[in-house]
């Protein structure tokens, strides 16, 4: 079985893939101090809780936090006896290499999303990922990542607003009943929700204008369904897009190693 690990700035997600489906998905906070043994204690406890007997033979890792990769590699080597494929390393092959400015390092999560989205939807795509940052990734007709946009994430913006303005409280991200808020919380929720709806719609329109081809818009990340409510922002929402992309890249590497 394949263990897919996606390490983001806020959360780290483990998913077990049996070749046809994900058996379970486990989530923890991203902490660079966590040791290989701590990863295993957490992982094995939850796997037992789910009643899964997973014989892990392969591991693939995507990490936007370089400091955690070492301990994750020790974890996979010590407890599964396998060397992981790490997206973004020269040893990891991609179905299509990115076409960006020379010397530019593309985030592994964006490469993985591009691979997963192309596998499911073909090319000419905009992938909007609601993570710590809100990213827009452009996938060409042949599946190559060709650039995009990075904007502050929704929760990051809320935290900055609360930190910079002492009188403003923490609020949940939700779709408000009206645009015009009649109290502080409603005003903040309206500004965040409708502000990001406008951000997504406006940036996607500009990307389409520059790309000059019809493009599908794929939403992913935990807040994608919320921002899609009644707004027709996305042609499709994929809650497991990053994990699916990891399986695609892993399969490509295995095929090419065999070849």
């Amino acid at each position: 079985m394949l263990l897919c690990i996606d390490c983001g700035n806020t959360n780290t997600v483990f998913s077990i893939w049996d070749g046809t489906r994900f058996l379970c998905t486990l989530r923890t906070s991203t902490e660079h101090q966590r040791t290989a043994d701590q990863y295993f204690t957490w992982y094995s406890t939850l796997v037992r809780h789910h009643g899964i007997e997973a014989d892990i033979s392969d591991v693939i890792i995507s990490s936007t936090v370089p400091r955690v990769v070492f301990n994750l590699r020790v974890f996979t080597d010590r407890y599964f006896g396998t060397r992981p494929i790490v997206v973004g390393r020269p040893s990891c092959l991609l179905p299509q290499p990115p076409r960006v400015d020379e010397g530019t390092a593309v985030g592994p999560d964006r490469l993985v999303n591009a691979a997963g989205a192309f596998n499911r939807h073909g090319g000419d795509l905009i992938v909007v990922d609601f993570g710590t940052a809100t990213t827009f990734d452009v996938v060409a007709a042949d599946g190559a990542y060709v650039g995009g946009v990075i904007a502050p994430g929704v929760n990051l913006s809320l935290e900055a607003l609360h930190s910079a303005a002492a009188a403003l409280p923490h609020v949940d991200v939700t779709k408000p009943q009206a645009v015009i808020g009649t109290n502080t919380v409603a005003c903040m929720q309206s500004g965040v929700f409708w502000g990001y709806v406008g951000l997504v719609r406006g940036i996607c329109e500009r990307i389409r204008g520059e790309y000059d081809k019809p493009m599908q818009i794929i939403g992913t990340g935990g807040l994608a369904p919320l921002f899609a409510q009644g707004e027709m922002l996305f042609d499709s929402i994929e809650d497991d897009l990053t994990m699916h992309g990891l399986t695609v890249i892993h399969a490509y590497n295995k095929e090419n190693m065999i070849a």
Side-chain angles (χ1 to χ4, degrees), residues 114-126:
F118 179 74
N119 179 261
R120 283 181 170 170
H121 301 280
D124 298 327
L125 306 173
I126 304 169

Side-chain angles (χ1 to χ4, degrees), residues 3 7 21 23 26 31 38 80-81 93 95 97 102-104 138 147 149 170 178 185 210 223 226 253 258:
L3 176 61
C7 179
R21 65 189 180 98
L23 300 181
L26 315 173
E31 297 177 6
Q38 289 174 318
F80 303 124
L93 304 176
E102 186 176 352
T104 299
V138 180
V149 176
H170 284 289
V185 170
E210 286 188 9
L223 291 175
L226 170 66
N253 278 264
I258 293 172

Side-chain angles (χ1 to χ4, degrees), residues 104-129:
T104 299
V106 180
D109 55 331
R110 308 182 81 177
L111 298 174
V112 171
N113 282 348
F118 179 74
N119 179 261
R120 283 181 170 170
H121 301 280
D124 298 327
L125 306 173
I126 304 169
V127 180
V128 184
D129 189 351

